[in-house]
Amino acid sequence: MNAQKIAVVTDTGTNVPADFAKAHDIRQIPLQINYTEGSFRSGVDITSEEVIERFSTEIPTTSLPSPASIRETLEQARADGYERAVVVTISSGLSATNQTCHLVANQMEDFPVAVVDTRSIGVAAGMTVMDCALMVEAGVDFDLLEGRLNAEAEQTWVLFSLDELSFLRHGGRISEATYRLGSALNIKPIFECDEEGRYRTVKKCRGRERALKATVDLIAERARLYKDVVLACASATGDDPMLERYVALLQEKVGNACGLIRSRLSPDLLVHTGPTLIGMAVQPAMPEMAEWMAARA
């Protein structure tokens, strides 16, 4: 437990690296994965590998955590000795999780809870969760955390592309026209989360390799806006050979990076993107993150 006794809580849509979450006691609220036979808690009752294995028979849906599960997580943190909490969530533009966390937080008595909207997803949202934990441990005052995290989230940029667009179409994230055009002409859109935290196409490329090369170039260009940055990458399994090739290129092009965060997609994100996603993110390095990265080097 950190000296301030502030619990850091998130949902599984933020894809915080598992080793970091364990080391810093980050409490995770699982999103639900719904099959015809029943519902499973992401990362608790079902793994990413199991979701991928079942794609051949059924593409499930997802739903947000129940208010009861959110409250249970906060109450458990209080029972474990924490006196306050910060909940950092997946984008409110993609899920009602943030809104539900606000509702539950307002009902907690004698247990202050700040709720932060990353306006992002996956490992990029996970970077904000990591920022939160490191700020808390560095002694940043509770009343300053929300403002600092919002500012950090605004400057965190994620890009991702997929070889197979059918999962985004199935989840209603892209139109039928975009899907058909991409499939027929081998067009691979590169997506970002916009200012409202919703998916937006940044660029369209002919073929997978060109899309990944463009992603590297765009991230490297953004990195040049800052003195020091932190990079992040993610894929379905966390060890995609194609990801490794382009991460190596990214590290070669970004000379001001303090380090690289690696993560894998949670089961709930896999439902919406499928197993072919490769994502990269960049954010300006805050002092606490830079110090943590230096200690690991």
Side-chain angles (χ1 to χ4, degrees):
M1 181 182 298
N2 56 71
Q4 296 200 81
K5 297 184 178 180
I6 299 173
V8 179
V9 180
T10 189
D11 59 77
T12 51
T14 65
N15 290 187
V16 180
D19 56 348
F20 186 95
K22 182 178 180 180
H24 299 267
D25 194 27
I26 294 173
R27 311 295 175 100
Q28 294 186 319
I29 305 166
L31 277 72
Q32 297 287 321
I33 298 178
N34 310 307
Y35 288 93
T36 303
E37 69 185 70
S39 296
F40 300 84
R41 293 171 295 172
S42 178
V44 178
D45 305 319
I46 192 167
T47 66
S48 296
E49 289 80 6
E50 289 169 335
V51 169
I52 292 172
E53 288 174 3
R54 297 179 65 158
F55 277 149
S56 60
T57 57
E58 182 179 359
I59 299 178
T61 61
T62 62
S63 56
L64 65 154
S66 68
S69 67
I70 296 170
R71 186 177 185 94
E72 179 182 352
T73 302
L74 294 173
E75 291 289 5
Q76 185 61 58
R78 172 155 53 186
D80 291 341
Y82 288 102
E83 297 175 353
R84 293 169 292 185
V86 181
V87 182
V88 185
T89 76
I90 187 176
S91 170
S92 61
L94 298 172
S95 169
T97 300
N98 181 271
Q99 180 183 9
T100 307
C101 287
H102 269 291
L103 293 173
V104 175
N106 291 336
Q107 296 170 359
M108 296 293 293
E109 297 180 1
D110 301 320
F111 191 74
V113 179
V115 181
V116 175
D117 181 0
T118 64
R119 295 182 296 283
S120 192
I121 196 168
V123 68
M127 294 170 85
T128 302
V129 181
M130 295 172 71
D131 290 338
C132 181
L134 294 173
M135 287 180 192
V136 167
E137 292 168 8
V140 176
D141 188 84
F142 179 79
D143 293 334
L144 300 178
L145 286 169
E146 185 174 354
R148 281 196 59 181
L149 290 169
N150 282 332
E152 198 71 20
E154 287 178 1
Q155 298 182 83
T156 302
W157 197 41
V158 63
L159 296 178
F160 68 91
S161 63
L162 309 95
D163 197 36
E164 173 54 65
L165 298 175
S166 61
F167 292 89
L168 286 180
R169 178 194 60 170
H170 183 266
R173 302 299 187 185
I174 61 172
S175 68
E176 182 70 19
T178 297
Y179 167 73
R180 289 186 179 278
L181 181 64
S183 300
L185 301 179
N186 195 27
I187 300 297
K188 308 300 181 186
I190 301 172
F191 299 97
E192 68 171 349
C193 286
D194 64 16
E195 295 81 1
E196 301 299 320
R198 298 184 177 91
Y199 293 154
R200 176 169 63 193
T201 301
V202 176
K203 190 172 184 176
K204 296 179 181 179
C205 300
R206 181 69 64 85
R208 177 74 154 163
E209 299 275 353
R210 290 181 179 178
L212 290 172
K213 174 63 166 56
T215 298
V216 168
D217 290 341
L218 289 167
I219 291 288
E221 182 180 349
R222 177 65 64 94
R224 287 192 286 271
L225 298 177
Y226 307 105
K227 178 181 177 183
D228 297 300
V229 298
V230 177
L231 302 172
C233 64
S235 65
T237 61
D239 58 357
D240 187 313
M242 187 170 285
L243 170 66
E244 296 305 316
R245 178 149 48 99
Y246 283 95
V247 164
L249 179 61
L250 179 65
Q251 291 176 306
E252 179 184 320
K253 289 198 168 192
V254 180
N256 60 332
C258 296
L260 174 74
I261 296 167
R262 294 177 176 272
S263 187
R264 58 183 302 177
L265 299 188
S266 59
D268 47 278
L269 291 192
L270 275 169
V271 170
H272 293 285
T273 65
T276 65
L277 179 142
I278 288 180
M280 300 180 189
V282 60
Q283 70 171 195
M286 66 171 194
E288 294 85 357
M289 179 65 83
E291 182 178 344
W292 179 74
M293 285 286 186
R296 295 172 67 242

